[in-house]
Amino acid sequence: MGPIPYGKQNITAEDIQAVVETLQSDFLTQGPKVEEFETKFAQYIGCDYALAVTNGTAALHLCAMVLGVNEQSNVITSPITFAASANCLRYCGGTVWFADIDPTTGLLDIAHVRILLESKPKDFFTGIIPVDFAGLAVNLEAFRQLADEYNLWLLEDACHAPGGSFTDSSGTQQNCGNSQFADLAIFSFHPVKHIATGEGGMITTNNRDFYEKLLRLRTHGITKNPELLQHNPGGWYYEMQDLGYNYRIPDILTALGISQLNRADANLKIRRQIAARYNEAFQSVKSISILNPTAYYPELKESGHAYHLYIIQVPDRKGLYDYLRQHQIFAQVHYIPVHTMPYYQQLGWKYGDFPRAEKFYEHCLSLPMFPTLTNQEQQYVIDKVLEFVNF
Ligand SMILES: *Cc1c(COP(=O)(O)O)cnc(C)c1O
């Protein structure tokens, strides 16, 4: 048995074939595979528009742009997320605010967001970026109600949750990223995520104006659409209407994405089986706590969890981390709280600001969770974890 990472891509012969075919086609980039990936991804998620970009961070950046983030913007996100969820605001000059998490799930706690909103004048804040942390859907219906009260936009960071869902108050299943409640959502196709394209990202929305603006911003702010041009002297003509970027993803990668998407449901099922086995192994172990989604919202069916990560909490996290490493198990910590990063400390945040997030960080460990993890490997991980905590 070789080293076991916490997450890993799964590339099949079909994936390789799809990439090879694209390499042999007329388009390495700006070809038909991009739109095909977008269409299929939008169908998978259940939204009107999907726009593929170079990575999840670029997706966040473009969303911040179309949401109008600027020097006057004050936006709230979770301290327990990857830094990019917050950084996208800084790219546009906005100010990042954090609110503490719910300790049973690691999700941004809506009660703490409300307290923060109430602590400032009513029009102080401009938006919220909730994160479907570990693959557990944020209750966006509740966030939407709060956002409407304060006239805020909602950007869902769904990087951990393609295929995840929650059940809303009318009993309807709401897929992560379907933009039913959020204005925009984003995904990443980094190899540790559910769908791997090497680097890659996606923006999903039901808002046509946002979508059209995003199309331009992805490619320098340029349009060739005759309906949008100010004048049209000939077939060569295009206009750069906004200051955009080159955030285009090549066809080579979207071909891989399409092929990966074909297995998304099957892989999600395996992730849930792996989680069920971990749950069973650890449920009655006193010194291990497992995250408890149903404590957060009782109506959530366990089946809605997308399990990007499987996280346990233990008293001696460093001890367990080191012990597993000694045995070639490369568990990870998700996340070092964003507000404690030196960059955010320079902006005035400090250790101590969000006690629940900090405590979560001090005890959490993400165990191997990926569809090709074998039963034998998982049993080995379980045995080593139990060996350490029972020692
Ligand atoms: C991976 C990730 C990102 C960034 O995605 P990249 O594709 O690596 O740029 C943003 N937010 C969260 C929560 C992520 O897990």
Side-chain angles (χ1 to χ4, degrees):
M1 210 158 32
I4 309 176
Y6 84 91
K8 191 184 175 184
Q9 75 277 14
N10 155 229
I11 302 293
T12 64
E14 291 81 54
D15 291 345
I16 292 167
Q17 191 52 35
V19 172
V20 169
E21 277 169 22
T22 306
L23 285 169
Q24 291 165 333
S25 76
D26 289 338
F27 293 96
L28 299 186
T29 190
Q30 294 179 279
K33 288 292 168 190
V34 177
E35 212 175 302
E36 186 185 336
F37 187 36
E38 291 170 340
T39 304
K40 289 181 171 164
F41 194 84
Q43 272 164 10
Y44 180 63
I45 297 299
C47 63
D48 292 342
Y49 307 104
L51 185 102
V53 292
T54 42
N55 55 60
T57 305
L60 283 162
H61 183 190
L62 292 186
C63 287
M65 288 177 77
V66 297
L67 289 164
V69 174
N70 61 27
E71 283 72 13
Q72 275 75 53
S73 305
N74 291 289
V75 179
I76 303 166
T77 191
S78 174
I80 296 294
T81 183
F82 184 59
S85 311
N87 296 349
C88 63
L89 302 164
R90 301 294 307 134
Y91 299 156
C92 300
T95 301
V96 180
W97 293 78
F98 301 98
D100 216 340
I101 59 160
D102 166 76
T104 62
T105 58
L107 297 182
L108 181 63
D109 187 347
I110 193 164
H112 280 246
V113 174
R114 182 178 279 284
I115 291 166
L116 179 58
L117 290 170
E118 284 169 355
S119 73
K120 299 278 176 188
K122 185 123 193 190
D123 59 356
F124 182 82
F125 288 102
T126 39
I128 311 175
I129 306 181
V131 182
D132 300 310
F133 175 66
L136 179 63
V138 170
N139 185 341
L140 283 175
E141 185 183 27
F143 269 99
R144 180 80 264 169
Q145 281 166 9
L146 183 61
D148 286 348
E149 258 181 72
Y150 285 84
N151 195 23
L152 310 173
W153 50 254
L154 272 187
L155 166 56
E156 177 187 11
D157 184 336
C159 282
H160 295 186
S165 63
F166 75 100
T167 306
D168 72 11
S169 60
S170 70
T172 309
Q173 178 182 313
Q174 299 290 350
N175 294 342
C176 294
N178 73 357
S179 276
Q180 192 64 36
F181 299 109
D183 297 284
L184 294 147
I186 69 105
F187 294 87
S188 163
F189 307 122
H190 184 277
V192 297
K193 310 286 163 75
H194 290 60
I195 294 164
T197 63
E199 298 284 354
M202 192 75 84
I203 302 169
T204 54
T205 187
N206 294 330
N207 182 317
R208 184 163 186 97
D209 291 341
F210 283 159
Y211 174 69
E212 286 185 347
K213 186 127 199 242
L214 288 164
L215 269 174
R216 290 200 296 280
L217 290 174
R218 174 175 65 178
T219 181
H220 310 282
I222 286 174
T223 186
K224 289 181 183 172
N225 181 347
E227 285 170 36
L228 300 174
L229 296 176
Q230 294 180 4
H231 29 239
N232 195 355
W236 69 88
Y237 189 71
Y238 61 82
E239 282 174 1
M240 188 200 122
Q241 298 179 335
D242 308 283
L243 183 60
Y245 293 82
N246 179 354
Y247 281 164
R248 296 187 306 260
I249 186 170
D251 281 54
I252 305 164
L253 300 186
T254 47
L256 179 55
I258 294 162
S259 184
Q260 291 258 311
L261 189 58
N262 290 332
R263 294 196 307 285
D265 279 331
N267 283 341
L268 188 58
K269 218 170 134 191
I270 300 171
R271 284 178 183 273
R272 287 171 177 164
Q273 286 164 355
I274 292 170
R277 283 198 292 271
Y278 278 138
N279 281 343
E280 191 167 314
F282 300 139
Q283 228 147 29
S284 51
V285 181
K286 280 214 173 57
S287 52
I288 298 177
S289 20
I290 55 184
L291 298 189
N292 186 359
T294 47
Y296 187 65
Y297 21 41
E299 74 281 10
L300 180 100
K301 294 194 189 69
E302 182 63 356
S303 66
H305 203 309
Y307 284 110
H308 165 55
L309 303 171
Y310 186 88
I311 297 174
I312 59 171
Q313 291 181 288
V314 290
D316 181 10
R317 192 270 312 279
K318 180 171 172 8
L320 178 58
Y321 174 88
D322 289 341
Y323 186 77
L324 294 179
R325 269 186 92 97
Q326 278 165 28
H327 291 91
Q328 296 290 297
I329 299 165
F330 294 87
Q332 246 317 345
V333 170
H334 297 95
Y335 285 97
I336 305 161
V338 180
H339 70 280
T340 67
M341 291 290 163
Y343 173 78
Y344 283 97
Q345 292 208 27
Q346 275 172 44
L347 297 174
W349 302 100
K350 60 183 187 307
Y351 214 93
D353 284 341
F354 303 102
R356 289 169 165 194
E358 291 153 17
K359 189 169 173 220
F360 185 93
Y361 159 63
E362 284 157 19
H363 297 284
C364 70
L365 197 62
S366 304
L367 299 180
M369 166 56 86
F370 52 91
T372 53
L373 183 73
T374 64
N375 285 351
Q376 189 200 4
E377 287 171 326
Q378 191 183 4
Q379 193 55 52
Y380 177 72
V381 174
I382 291 169
D383 291 346
K384 291 297 157 196
V385 170
L386 293 178
E387 218 169 88
F388 179 81
V389 301
N390 291 331
F391 181 70

